[in-house]
Amino acid sequence: MTTSSVSKGCFVFKPSAKKKKLSLTAADYFIESLKNAEDGRMRFENYQLLWQRMKSQTEQLQEELNKNLFDNLICFLKKSHSDFQDKKNDWNCRVRSSEIPTAALLLGVNVTDHELTFNSLSDVLNEHVTPYVVLLQAQECPGIRQLLQKLLSQLMECGADLDLDEEDDNAPVSQRKMNCSMASLSGWYQKIKKKANTPKKKRSDSSEHWPAPPIVVVFKDLESFTSSVLQEFIVISSGYCKELPLILVFGIATSPMIIHRLLSHSVSSLLCIELFQSLSCTEHLATVVDKLLLSNQFPLKLSGRVLQVLITIFLYHDFSVQNFIKGLQLSVVEHFNSQPLSILCCDRPDMRHRVKNLSHNQCENIRHLASFMSFVESQTPEAQVKLLTDDSYLKLYPSRVGLPLTCIRLRMSMEAYGEGRGGANIRKAVIETFYHNQSTLFTSVQEMTRKFLIDLHTYHENYIPVLRCLHHFTCILPKYPLGKQIRELYCACLEKKIWDTEEYNSALNLLRMLAGDELVATLHKCLEVLKPYSGRQLDSALKKLEEFLAHFQCLEGDNLENIDDEESSPQKGLQKKTDLYQLQKTLLEMKETRRTKKPSRFESLRLEVVDFLDGLVRDYLTCPEEHPLYEVVYFSAASILRKHLNAVPRIALHTALNNPSSYLKSLKNDGTLSSAAPDICIAYKLHLECGRLINLYDWLEAFATVANADDESDSDSLNQVDEMTHARFIRVVSELELLGFVKPTKQKTDHVARLTWGGC
């Protein structure tokens, strides 16, 4: 909009009415990223429901793991608070009157997890101990004044009415100047105590708080605090120990020795320190893996490579369990976003309905699965054609090809008659046809897809207990041939057939030499694992274990007699006096006796146990790839997960600068230099064409030619670089220098040296 006027003036233009831009939700972004959004909304809802269940499980685990630590800390706070009250009543007690109760929480090097721990601690203290909990960070407290100001401001948020300066009464409370001193804090606490002692109706939310509740100051990252700030705060606070029930909590990531490095002896002597050790991050991870991944309550599973990527990032980068859980959440999102058949990744009650409502496109997606094609190749040519062309045949398919036509007709008649008298007779005929003919034993007509998914659920139900039994046997072996943690064994079993590895054969050889007491104790552990599966497919294995334990109990009373009877005569001859020739002869006889010795009852029974375990492993610990439709419930895109969680900055920078269309969708990926690209991308591509030294003037001219290529001007004006283009070029060179691609050189003043990729 323009105006024409003789005189200069100010003109006001009302903005044109524009439609309000609707904000997109997470579901909209999820559906927009799908290639085929036929069931996008349902897949997003499945993801939300599944992750909500997993998230609630992780939060519950976090509470259970921190419960012991928080209970011990509350006991310490209670004891310290009672000591404070006793000291105030007994003025003759001067021994520890100036010491501040201090709890040193050793939380480990997983610093990213500390925030969640401190938030949980603050909630517990606010609920059961005191409403006055202050959380301090080093970056917010560079000096003692800022520390006291942060302390008092957080107490204001807790409901404390602190004394404020009267310089600016009209300013809001958050902007007024506070009287930042421990004296004002002590005076405020005395007022609060007097108000609490007056007869008044108690508040329901503070009914669990202690009388005269203490003030708990938590230093989240003790190592990052300045030594002088800490010492000054402790010295000032020690002078108010008689009037103010102050309790300090130090969050330590490295070692308790950091307290003595930051504080001098005279200052540390003012603290009454008690050390509290939290659960190690590796034990926390083991619990998360056990409850989330080695559990049948969630339908989604991770492949061996994906799980290995998450564990590798945990062990070699940050030791953060929260980052591991975020990686798990990313895996869930990627699975439901990239797998069109993820709508079938559900619990058993919802499975039948979803399989019944499969569309033609979803049936085509099933046919494109590699596991399904492997199953089709094993069928007859007639069945292959129907499986690949007929959707109804795909949903309703006999589990055995070659089912007699009579049986199919009987089944159809049974469904037509229902459960009445005629249906009962037909059902009897079906059973006789199916089971009394020993040559052809077939099952009823079932939904093939649903059958495969149910088989996967059954496979997982049997997989986890057998895996735990194998781990109980292998974790007691020397050098741990199959890993010390169950997650290592789980990854090995997912990637390949475990019984084909050298480590597995080595473990079996060691088990064949296992001592009797260790063998019986391990059998008892396996029995506890398999007890919940009584009456199911593993019921026979459970009964076999009970038989083994009964046999070992029978052998316990015969151990001493067997040892006395099996003592051979060559061994008795060693106790007599003999010469060298007789000794050599006796040793040779003992060697021959061992070769021809018949195994004892215990050794035979031990071999039976090992063979039984080997049979369980071969039957139930098969690879997931051997089961049709395993892609529906297994997320195996380890490369995508590694790209997001363990990105390489050099590759990301090169991709962004050399191919900006990968990040900016508005640009076309034609591989040529375009003026529409960002300035830094243009300069970066031009600098790739240069050698070790780059002439700045030539670089500027090339940059101006590309940047002004779309301008309609003659050739003479293109040769002259305007000020705006010059300024853009200077900024781009500074950015490339900051990123480390070029640097100034003393060889030539009008040149810069190239630092990366292909310099001569």
Side-chain angles (χ1 to χ4, degrees):
M1 293 178 289
T2 59
T3 59
S4 59
S5 177
V6 177
S7 62
K8 295 181 179 180
C10 180
F11 301 92
V12 178
F13 298 95
K14 293 183 178 180
S16 58
K18 295 183 180 179
K19 295 182 179 179
K20 292 184 179 180
K21 193 174 182 181
L22 298 177
S23 58
L24 297 178
T25 62
D28 297 330
Y29 283 108
F30 184 90
I31 297 173
E32 186 180 357
S33 62
L34 299 178
K35 296 181 180 179
N36 185 8
E38 180 181 358
D39 296 313
R41 183 71 60 177
M42 183 181 295
R43 286 158 63 179
F44 181 76
E45 292 176 356
N46 283 0
Y47 151 70
Q48 279 192 320
L49 291 175
L50 177 60
W51 179 245
Q52 193 61 35
R53 290 166 53 191
M54 301 179 76
K55 183 180 179 182
S56 61
Q57 182 71 20
T58 56
E59 292 175 352
Q60 183 180 356
L61 288 176
Q62 184 73 29
E63 293 178 1
E64 293 176 357
L65 294 175
N66 289 333
K67 186 178 184 303
N68 189 24
L69 174 66
F70 292 166
D71 290 345
N72 295 335
L73 185 59
I74 290 176
C75 291
F76 169 75
L77 297 179
K78 186 175 183 180
K79 179 182 176 182
S80 303
H81 190 57
S82 62
D83 292 343
F84 167 78
Q85 293 178 338
D86 293 342
K87 284 187 294 184
K88 188 169 183 181
N89 295 331
D90 186 7
W91 291 97
N92 296 323
C93 182
R94 303 286 184 179
V95 180
R96 302 176 64 182
S97 60
S98 61
E99 290 185 355
I100 305 174
T102 304
L105 296 183
L106 190 59
L107 301 177
V109 296
N110 50 331
V111 182
T112 53
D113 296 344
H114 295 178
E115 186 69 24
L116 182 62
T117 303
F118 284 122
N119 291 338
S120 301
L121 175 62
S122 177
D123 295 338
V124 171
L125 295 179
N126 282 323
E127 184 177 359
H128 300 289
V129 179
T130 174
Y132 311 125
V133 181
V134 180
L135 302 176
L136 300 178
Q137 286 184 332
Q139 61 181 2
E140 301 173 346
C141 308
I144 185 62
R145 181 176 180 180
Q146 290 82 357
L147 190 150
L148 292 175
Q149 187 174 3
K150 191 69 179 176
L151 172 65
L152 300 180
S153 63
Q154 289 196 28
L155 288 176
M156 286 177 58
E157 295 176 0
C158 297
D161 188 12
L162 297 172
D163 295 333
L164 303 174
D165 289 345
E166 299 179 356
E167 296 177 359
D168 191 5
D169 295 335
N170 297 324
V173 175
S174 59
Q175 296 179 1
R176 294 186 209 170
K177 223 178 193 180
M178 291 185 297
N179 185 12
C180 302
S181 64
M182 294 298 293
S184 61
L185 180 61
S186 177
W188 159 80
Y189 187 81
Q190 299 302 324
K191 292 180 181 179
I192 291 294
K193 189 176 179 181
K194 289 181 181 179
K195 290 181 181 180
N197 293 331
T198 57
K200 188 185 299 185
K201 185 178 180 180
K202 293 184 178 180
R203 295 174 56 185
S204 59
D205 57 348
S206 62
S207 58
E208 296 186 9
H209 293 160
W210 297 346
I215 299 176
V216 181
V217 182
V218 181
F219 295 86
K220 292 184 178 181
D221 45 352
L222 183 69
E223 291 90 344
S224 302
F225 276 87
T226 307
S227 176
S228 58
V229 175
L230 282 175
Q231 295 190 69
E232 191 172 353
F233 175 76
I234 293 172
V235 170
I236 295 174
S237 302
S238 63
Y240 293 87
C241 286
K242 299 177 183 178
E243 302 91 14
L244 198 62
L246 193 67
I247 300 176
L248 306 182
V249 177
F250 290 161
I252 302 174
T254 54
S255 171
M257 293 300 297
I258 193 66
I259 298 177
H260 302 287
R261 295 177 185 174
L262 292 175
L263 306 177
S264 62
H265 177 70
S266 59
V267 177
S268 60
S269 61
L270 300 176
L271 303 177
C272 179
I273 304 175
E274 186 167 339
L275 183 64
F276 296 89
Q277 176 75 48
S278 67
L279 190 69
S280 66
C281 54
T282 53
E283 295 177 354
H284 191 175
L285 176 68
T287 306
V288 171
V289 171
D290 185 71
K291 298 299 182 180
L292 290 183
L293 303 182
L294 298 179
S295 173
N296 294 320
Q297 58 179 329
F298 305 115
L300 181 64
K301 305 293 180 182
L302 302 183
S303 67
R305 292 185 179 179
V306 171
L307 183 56
Q308 193 63 47
V309 168
L310 294 177
I311 294 176
T312 301
I313 294 175
F314 172 84
L315 293 177
Y316 294 99
H317 288 82
D318 52 12
F319 285 101
S320 174
V321 180
Q322 296 304 314
N323 289 345
F324 180 87
I325 295 175
K326 290 179 181 178
L328 181 60
Q329 182 182 9
L330 179 60
S331 303
V332 178
V333 175
E334 284 291 337
H335 178 73
F336 282 92
N337 185 265
S338 60
Q339 179 54 258
L341 294 172
S342 56
I343 59 170
L344 301 178
C345 184
C346 58
D347 297 327
R348 279 194 179 187
D350 303 330
M351 190 183 304
R352 185 181 186 88
H353 175 71
R354 296 188 181 183
V355 171
K356 184 178 180 180
N357 295 330
L358 286 176
S359 64
H360 174 71
N361 293 333
Q362 292 165 343
C363 292
E364 288 296 324
N365 292 330
I366 292 178
R367 295 186 180 103
H368 292 161
L369 295 178
S371 61
F372 181 78
M373 291 304 300
S374 300
F375 168 76
V376 171
E377 292 174 358
S378 63
Q379 306 304 311
T380 60
E382 295 81 2
Q384 291 180 6
V385 173
K386 291 185 178 181
L387 284 171
L388 297 177
T389 57
D390 190 356
D391 291 347
S392 60
Y393 191 78
L394 178 66
K395 298 179 185 179
L396 300 173
Y397 175 71
S399 59
R400 297 271 186 148
V401 177
L403 188 66
L405 185 60
T406 305
C407 298
I408 298 178
R409 289 175 179 172
L410 286 172
R411 174 67 179 180
M412 295 172 63
S413 302
M414 183 179 65
E415 293 177 353
Y417 277 93
E419 296 296 332
R421 183 175 179 182
N425 295 331
I426 296 175
R427 181 181 298 276
K428 182 178 179 181
V430 171
I431 294 174
E432 291 177 355
T433 307
F434 283 0
Y435 296 101
H436 290 279
N437 189 357
Q438 299 296 331
S439 59
T440 56
L441 184 63
F442 298 105
T443 61
S444 61
V445 180
Q446 299 177 356
E447 298 176 358
M448 185 195 62
T449 305
R450 179 171 172 266
K451 176 183 180 300
F452 286 155
L453 294 176
I454 291 178
D455 290 343
L456 276 173
H457 281 272
T458 306
Y459 162 72
H460 293 142
E461 288 179 359
N462 298 330
Y463 191 98
I464 301 302
V466 174
L467 181 74
R468 295 186 187 277
C469 291
L470 179 61
H471 174 67
H472 283 314
F473 275 98
T474 57
C475 67
I476 61 176
L477 299 178
K479 297 184 179 180
Y480 309 105
L482 291 179
K484 186 177 181 180
Q485 302 289 339
I486 192 172
R487 62 173 182 264
E488 304 174 35
L489 179 62
Y490 184 49
C491 292
C493 293
L494 287 177
E495 292 180 359
K496 53 188 174 182
K497 296 179 180 179
I498 190 66
W499 54 84
D500 291 339
T501 60
E502 296 181 0
E503 294 81 5
Y504 178 79
N505 295 325
S506 175
L508 288 187
N509 292 332
L510 292 174
L511 288 176
R512 293 187 180 98
M513 298 182 291
L514 198 62
D517 53 348
E518 294 181 345
L519 184 59
V520 172
T522 307
L523 287 176
H524 278 290
K525 294 179 182 178
C526 296
L527 188 66
E528 294 297 326
V529 171
L530 296 182
K531 271 186 179 180
Y533 299 89
S534 177
R536 303 183 188 177
Q537 195 170 357
L538 292 174
D539 189 42
S540 59
L542 180 62
K543 294 179 180 179
K544 193 67 176 177
L545 287 178
E546 293 175 349
E547 292 179 4
F548 284 138
L549 288 174
H551 290 320
F552 279 113
Q553 288 178 358
C554 295
L555 289 177
E556 287 181 358
D558 303 335
N559 281 340
L560 294 176
E561 298 179 3
N562 292 337
I563 293 175
D564 295 336
D565 294 340
E566 291 176 0
E567 192 173 13
S568 59
S569 57
Q571 292 176 340
K572 294 180 180 180
L574 289 177
Q575 300 176 2
K576 303 177 181 179
K577 293 184 178 180
T578 182
D579 54 3
L580 184 60
Y581 174 76
Q582 292 294 334
L583 178 61
Q584 184 179 6
K585 183 179 179 181
T586 304
L587 291 175
L588 289 174
E589 290 178 358
M590 289 177 59
K591 187 176 181 180
E592 292 295 331
T593 304
R594 288 178 181 175
R595 290 180 179 177
T596 60
K597 180 182 177 182
K598 186 178 179 180
S600 63
R601 292 173 58 190
F602 168 75
E603 293 174 346
S604 301
L605 193 57
R606 181 173 56 187
L607 291 177
E608 291 182 13
V609 172
V610 175
D611 293 340
F612 168 74
L613 177 65
D614 184 41
L616 280 180
V617 170
R618 293 176 183 270
D619 290 340
Y620 296 105
L621 296 188
T622 57
C623 297
E625 289 80 3
E626 298 180 4
H627 298 266
L629 271 64
Y630 81 94
E631 296 94 339
V632 174
V633 297
Y634 275 88
F635 175 69
S636 56
S639 58
I640 297 178
L641 200 65
R642 190 183 294 108
K643 177 182 177 182
H644 288 295
L645 298 180
N646 195 18
V648 182
R650 170 175 169 174
I651 297 177
L653 280 175
H654 178 71
T655 303
L657 296 177
N658 193 46
N659 186 19
S661 61
S662 60
Y663 293 93
L664 303 176
K665 303 301 181 183
S666 59
L667 300 178
K668 296 182 179 179
N669 185 13
D670 52 2
T672 59
L673 282 172
S674 173
S675 59
D679 292 344
I680 190 172
C681 298
I682 298 174
Y684 177 78
K685 284 190 175 183
L686 292 173
H687 112 284
L688 291 178
E689 302 174 359
C690 303
R692 189 178 64 86
L693 295 178
I694 304 175
N695 191 313
L696 286 174
Y697 184 75
D698 296 339
W699 196 6
L700 171 61
E701 285 189 337
F703 175 81
T705 303
V706 177
N708 302 325
D710 295 339
D711 295 344
E712 296 180 358
S713 55
D714 53 2
S715 58
D716 294 336
S717 61
L718 288 176
N719 294 332
Q720 297 178 358
V721 181
D722 58 345
E723 294 181 356
M724 181 61 68
T725 305
H726 196 183
R728 289 163 58 187
F729 177 75
I730 293 175
R731 184 186 64 181
V732 165
V733 174
S734 301
E735 291 175 351
L736 291 176
E737 182 180 356
L738 179 63
L739 292 174
F741 293 105
V742 295
K743 72 171 184 177
T745 177
K746 295 182 179 179
Q747 297 181 6
K748 295 182 179 180
T749 56
D750 58 345
H751 285 65
V752 292
R754 180 181 171 186
L755 299 177
T756 56
W757 303 307
C760 301

